[in-house]
Amino acid sequence: QMHLQESGPGLLKPSETLSLTCSVSGGSVSDYYWNWMRQLPGGGLEWLGYISYSGSTNYNPSLETRVSISIDTSRNQVSLSLTSVTATDTAIYFCASAGGPYYFSHLWGRGALVTVSS
Amino acid sequence: DIQMTQSPSILSASVGDTVTITCRASRGVSTWLAWYQLKPGNAPRLLIYHASTLESGVPSRFSGSGSGAEFTLTISSLQPDDFASYYCQQYTSHYTFGQGTKLEIK
């Protein structure tokens, strides 16, 4: 049974860069596409972007100037970077696996809470 | 982007009830729609994909229907574990989610 675990700093200051890692166990990052989503304090879910097992990416147009997703097959990890954060980036960040581009996410991690505050 | 409108935002029900949540798309998404269950502190759970296909391991009291721009998630004979938040998601063009429905105990 594959398991996903998000990790990274939980508190950032405005203008800093958010960096999160999704560690995959019980499966290989080379077998799936990988999505990052976030749940904002009001409850809304927002898709940030995806990366394929070969490294091709696609990002939410509203965030694409600040977001970057990478994959490390040797460590079986997927990473998210979001630059120049503000308080509006405070959210729970989730990684999730998918069978292809623009496909449903069949397995999610528990999420990582990131708070942006001065 | 395709906007997803979910209703109701809050739904109060009792154990044993049958409830329905509706999701409308701003334009047709065929059957490229999924439903997820979210509980605080837990990994979100895929319930339904392709509008009506039950994910493996999900109880049969969950069902989905619809195509084009209007979809429903029905939960029959509510169990205590079902009180959670539910979200629809289209995956035909980028990904967008409905604003969620919180199912609470009456």
Side-chain angles (χ1 to χ4, degrees):
Chain A
Q1 176 78 5
M2 194 164 70
H3 180 73
L4 314 180
Q5 178 68 58
E6 302 90 344
S7 61
L11 181 62
L12 294 173
K13 291 181 171 23
S15 81
E16 292 185 333
T17 296
L18 180 157
S19 295
L20 293 174
T21 297
C22 176
S23 299
V24 179
S25 58
S28 173
V29 294
S30 299
D31 290 338
Y32 299 98
Y33 279 60
W34 299 92
N35 287 300
W36 282 94
M37 273 75 68
R38 65 184 181 181
Q39 185 176 31
L40 301 169
L45 282 168
E46 181 178 36
W47 170 71
L48 305 180
Y50 72 66
I51 190 166
S52 75
Y53 36 75
S54 63
S56 61
T57 55
N58 203 315
Y59 301 123
N60 187 322
S62 68
L63 293 165
E64 63 181 346
T65 60
R66 298 197 293 133
V67 69
S68 177
I69 299 173
S70 60
I71 191 167
D72 186 336
T73 55
S74 65
R75 295 187 176 189
N76 219 31
Q77 293 177 335
V78 179
S79 296
L80 170 72
S81 175
L82 184 67
T83 62
S84 304
V85 299
T86 70
T88 60
D89 294 310
T90 293
I92 300 171
Y93 288 77
F94 298 99
C95 63
S97 53
Y102 297 126
Y103 216 57
F104 57 88
S105 294
H106 57 86
L107 185 67
W108 298 55
R110 287 192 172 189
L113 174 61
V114 177
T115 302
V116 181
S117 174
S118 56
Chain B
D1 277 356
I2 299 173
Q3 307 303 315
M4 306 301 292
T5 302
Q6 207 174 314
S7 61
S9 297
I10 300 174
L11 182 55
S12 297
S14 302
V15 172
D17 286 353
T18 293
V19 298
T20 298
I21 300 168
T22 298
C23 183
R24 291 186 173 88
S26 59
R27 57 182 171 90
V29 298
S30 184
T31 56
W32 304 118
L33 184 111
W35 290 95
Y36 300 92
Q37 179 190 67
L38 271 73
K39 293 182 179 181
N42 287 7
R45 182 189 188 189
L46 172 68
L47 301 174
I48 302 281
Y49 60 92
H50 297 342
S52 61
T53 303
L54 193 68
E55 168 71 345
S56 175
V58 174
S60 58
R61 62 180 180 273
F62 291 89
S63 63
S65 66
S67 66
E70 185 154 341
F71 303 86
T72 59
L73 172 71
T74 299
I75 312 172
S76 304
S77 186
L78 277 171
Q79 299 300 301
D81 191 49
D82 300 337
F83 292 94
S85 294
Y86 294 87
Y87 292 80
C88 62
Q89 177 206 38
Q90 66 81 19
Y91 48 95
T92 184
S93 173
H94 290 148
Y95 290 106
T96 48
F97 292 87
Q99 69 269 43
T101 296
K102 183 177 181 180
L103 177 57
E104 60 181 29
I105 299 175
K106 186 183 291 184

